[in-house]
Amino acid sequence: MGGQGQELIRVEGLTSAFGQETVLEDISFNVMHGEVFVILGGSGSGKSTLLKHMIGLLKPQKGRVLINGEDIVAASGESRQRILRKFGVMYQSGALFGSMTLLENVRLPLEEFTQLPAEAMDLIALMKLKLVGLAPFAHHLPAETSGGMQKRAGIARAMVLDPEILFLDEPSAGLDPGTSADLDELILKLAQTLKITFVIVSHELASIFKVADRAVMLDKRSKTIIAEGRPAELRAASTHPLVRQFFNREPSRT
């Protein structure tokens, strides 16, 4: 693994506000090709808001997000569609449609973005389910599967168009420690074998130490990044009290 190579994503001077309330202020960092990059911070620190800016759902008040040098917010028409196809997103709940089988859920982006015959779409969707260990459950409804399996199906759907980047929003949320560890192993396997770049929102320490090449930590009070680097180095060497508290699981002083 490792975040060597070219820059893939750049966030430049991003400020995000809702009405009069600023959520993020002057955020800048980059993500390299092949890296597993984690956005972390306490609740209300703006992690999911930052993710929504990075996938083009929100327009920043200032600054920009570049993917392969292209501004995702400024792009429109075919160029925007081309950027959007570079990445897949798995939302916190898995966001599967309950009335559709796992296979039907995974093939949805193929129906939306390609003109492939139905048999080809089914085959590709089944291949992605196989990658995440769910081929035997292709014809099950989400309610017939566990929470961990639904997260895996969400990842399979996010991967179905062969994106360069996968954005995962709190993939471990609601999972027991064993299932969460299995998901970490899957992320590492996909990163290593398919060379996918991951951007993961998380506050699960065990997962962060297991999968992250680098991380940025957001702070609710200052509305900015208070730490950036390898998690083990941040735990060992950061002088910022909030960073040390987070990485060493210390109780709040306030």
Side-chain angles (χ1 to χ4, degrees), residues 158-175:
M159 289 178 8
V160 79
L161 294 170
D162 295 323
E164 287 183 69
I165 312 161
L166 281 182
F167 290 96
L168 309 183
D169 188 10
E170 297 280 9
S172 301
L175 301 181

Side-chain angles (χ1 to χ4, degrees), residues 47-166:
K47 301 187 298 292
S48 290
T49 298
L50 177 55
L51 187 77
K52 285 173 183 168
H53 280 292
M54 292 178 77
I55 63 177
L57 283 181
L58 293 177
K59 185 175 182 179
Q61 189 181 50
K62 290 184 200 161
R64 57 187 187 157
V65 176
L66 303 175
I67 294 181
N68 270 340
E70 295 184 280
D71 186 334
I72 188 167
V73 171
S76 61
E78 284 184 19
S79 59
R80 180 175 170 82
Q81 286 300 314
R82 192 180 68 251
I83 298 170
L84 292 177
R85 282 197 59 166
K86 289 177 193 269
F87 60 79
V89 185
M90 191 209 77
Y91 297 99
Q92 189 168 334
S93 62
L96 301 176
F97 291 97
S99 60
M100 303 170 75
T101 65
L102 298 190
L103 184 80
E104 289 167 339
N105 268 285
V106 172
R107 62 173 269 168
L108 270 176
L110 294 168
E111 293 173 17
E112 187 176 348
F113 289 104
T114 76
Q115 303 294 318
L116 291 168
E119 298 81 8
M121 287 196 258
D122 281 345
L123 184 62
I124 293 167
L126 190 61
M127 285 168 57
K128 300 306 179 188
L129 283 169
K130 189 174 182 180
L131 265 178
V132 301
L134 287 178
F137 302 92
H139 300 294
H140 286 56
L141 294 172
E144 298 168 334
T145 62
S146 68
M149 291 162 79
Q150 290 172 34
K151 295 285 180 86
R152 284 170 176 261
I155 291 174
R157 185 175 63 189
M159 289 178 8
V160 79
L161 294 170
D162 295 323
E164 287 183 69
I165 312 161
L166 281 182

Side-chain angles (χ1 to χ4, degrees), residues 24-37:
L24 299 166
E25 192 157 16
D26 198 22
I27 300 281
S28 295
F29 62 90
N30 63 6
V31 180
M32 310 302 281
H33 270 280
E35 192 165 41
V36 179
F37 188 91

Side-chain angles (χ1 to χ4, degrees), residues 36-40 198-202 208 211-212 214-217:
V36 179
F37 188 91
V38 174
I39 299 165
L40 54 94
F198 281 86
V199 177
I200 304 172
V201 168
S202 181
I208 291 163
V211 304
R214 282 192 306 134
V216 289
M217 182 171 177

